[in-house]
Structure formats: structure tokens, C-alpha cells
Amino acid sequence: MTTQMHLAAQYLAAAGISFLEKKEDDSHTNLGFSVNDGNLSTHPLNDNGDTLSLNYHRFTLEWNSKNSKSSLRLDNTTHAEILKWIKTTAEEANIKKPYRYSLHYDLPYEAITNDFEFKLTDSNTLKQLTSFRILAQNTLETFLKDHKLESDIRIWPHHFDTGAFVVLNGESGLSIGLGMAIPDSMIKDYYLYITGYHGHDGVDTSGFNSLTHGKWYNESFKGAILPISGIDQANGVLFFNEALSAYIN
């Protein structure tokens, strides 16, 4: 289901690319996550504040206007049918720019074709993935609030990670990136991560003390990682707290 959700999120990214002013950091494509609604949503796509969202609970795409909502169930729906629905709905919302499914980055999957069909193969796994997004959002919000740090928390559709970024000290150039990543070649599980930077260079972690939860890495990735399965918010906050302490002390 991770692949299905990652692919489905690209329709939202394509809406940002199609309808919004391009930002050099690609932030026009990133998405917010609502703990209450269980969905990913674009930035507002027009002056009326309409958004396109992906609902984890219902496995649907949803077009959200101030006074109405329309939805498309993804199960057994093809790529071509989804494109037609988004284009029609955007036109009904009086968006003049055309919707184009054209991404400027590569995904780790075969190119999607018109007859590709989404399938809700495992509802229990989808519930678990929803719980991971909720855990990541709540953990990051708590950590940032506790330390009086400010950052947007956004999902980046290319790598499908939940991420935040904070400049800790402008004079020293120390900053941190943190969040939750999906399984990859390094970790076969969703995982929390934190990495420090001096300018553009990763901070060496070889001398850092071990963590109560998680592990320091210092090779291609310089930072700490905590697999998310079996942990709770308190574990996640402690992980980030201990890692931050190592960076600033």
C-alpha cells in the first residue's frame, strides 16, 4: 500500500505544478497532513482556497471547496479516469490553467500508464500507514513546541517523507532536518530521522553518545534513525530530544 499511496500523492503534486507559482525549493508541490481528517492536502489552488487531497481513511481523492466537497474512490479506478476527474473538477472550480500530470522527478516505480488501476489490497496495512503519518505529525509538533522551534511540517511527494527543517543558530550555521521516511535501501521500515548540518555539510556523528531509542549513522547518511514499528509518541519525542542535545552540546 505504500506504493499505491505514494503514486496517488503524485496527483496532488501535479496539481501544485500545474496551478501554482513555481518555487525554487519545490515547496509549491509539498503537502500538509491533517491528523483529524487523515488526509494529505495541497496548498490552496485558487483564490477561493480550493485544495485537492488524498484521504487515507477512505482511499479517495477529494476536491475541497469552501461550501462543498467532491470525491473519487481510487479502488478499481484507472489513471486515465483519475486524470479526467481532476481536469473536469478543476475546470468546474474555474481554474483556467490546464491540469497536466507531468513530474520533473523520477519515482522508484515503473512509469504509470493510462490503464494502470489502483487497488485497495490491504485495508489493515492502510490503517497502519495512517497511524504512522499521525504519529510522525504529532511527534514533530510536540518536539518543535517543547523546544520553541518553528518549522512547517510538510510531506514532500518525491521521497514521500514527512519533514521539518530548523535553523538552530544563524551565526554557527547549525541546522537540523528531521521527520519520517518511507522504507528504502537503508531501512526496510518507516523510520524517524534527524540530521544536522553546518551550512551544507552533514555534521559528523562519530563521537556522539548512543541513544535510548534509535541509532547514529555516519556514512552516506549522517544522523540518527529510529524505525517506527512498535514505538509511541513518547519514544519518538525522546529520540529527537536526545539527538538535538547531541547536536547543540
Side-chain angles (χ1 to χ4, degrees):
M1 289 307 299
T2 291
T3 299
Q4 294 270 308
M5 297 305 285
H6 195 179
L7 288 173
Q10 303 314 309
Y11 297 109
L12 280 60
I17 295 168
S18 298
F19 303 143
L20 300 178
E21 180 181 351
K22 176 179 171 56
K23 301 291 182 65
E24 288 302 316
D25 62 357
D26 258 5
S27 58
H28 60 298
T29 70
N30 68 27
L31 312 169
F33 181 76
S34 168
V35 169
N36 292 332
D37 298 330
N39 64 26
L40 304 178
S41 292
T42 63
H43 294 280
L45 300 173
N46 58 15
D47 292 339
N48 293 326
D50 289 14
T51 60
L52 179 63
S53 62
L54 170 61
N55 192 299
Y56 270 73
H57 296 309
R58 301 186 182 93
F59 197 48
T60 55
L61 288 177
E62 298 174 348
W63 189 278
N64 311 285
S65 298
K66 288 181 179 178
N67 300 317
S68 64
K69 176 183 292 187
S70 57
S71 64
L72 177 70
R73 183 168 175 80
L74 291 174
D75 193 26
N76 298 319
T77 302
T78 66
H79 176 61
E81 290 169 332
I82 293 168
L83 294 183
K84 181 179 179 180
W85 178 80
I86 295 175
K87 290 176 181 178
T88 299
T89 308
E91 290 171 359
E92 291 173 349
N94 204 31
I95 294 178
K96 302 302 183 183
K97 295 179 180 179
Y99 177 82
R100 294 190 176 95
Y101 186 88
S102 178
L103 308 175
H104 53 274
Y105 48 82
D106 294 324
L107 296 173
Y109 317 112
E110 292 184 10
I112 196 167
T113 57
N114 281 339
D115 60 354
F116 175 87
E117 191 172 73
F118 283 84
K119 294 286 187 181
L120 181 56
T121 56
D122 189 341
S123 59
N124 287 330
T125 297
L126 187 55
K127 289 178 182 178
Q128 184 182 55
L129 298 185
T130 309
S131 72
F132 288 168
R133 289 291 176 191
I134 292 172
L135 176 61
Q137 186 77 22
N138 287 337
T139 300
L140 287 171
E141 287 181 358
T142 299
F143 169 77
L144 293 171
K145 182 180 179 181
D146 287 349
H147 293 277
K148 297 181 172 59
L149 301 174
E150 293 187 6
S151 172
D152 292 333
I153 301 171
R154 305 293 292 181
I155 287 82
W156 296 81
H158 183 192
H159 297 293
F160 212 34
D161 60 314
T162 296
F165 183 81
V166 179
V167 176
L168 295 174
N169 188 314
E171 294 181 1
S172 70
L174 180 63
S175 58
I176 55 169
L178 66 164
M180 180 189 72
I182 67 174
D184 55 29
S185 59
M186 187 165 57
I187 303 292
K188 302 304 181 184
D189 187 8
Y190 278 72
Y191 60 89
L192 300 179
Y193 69 87
I194 183 169
T195 183
Y197 302 95
H198 277 301
H200 296 292
D201 299 322
V203 173
D204 188 298
T205 68
S206 58
F208 288 176
N209 293 330
S210 60
L211 301 164
T212 303
H213 303 288
K215 178 182 176 182
W216 289 108
Y217 290 75
N218 199 49
E219 299 300 326
S220 57
F221 172 78
K222 295 181 183 294
I225 284 176
L226 173 62
I228 203 168
S229 295
I231 71 166
D232 59 19
Q233 183 176 322
N235 299 147
V237 171
L238 178 60
F239 165 73
F240 286 133
N241 285 344
E242 290 184 346
L244 176 64
S245 179
Y247 282 120
I248 63 180
N249 295 323

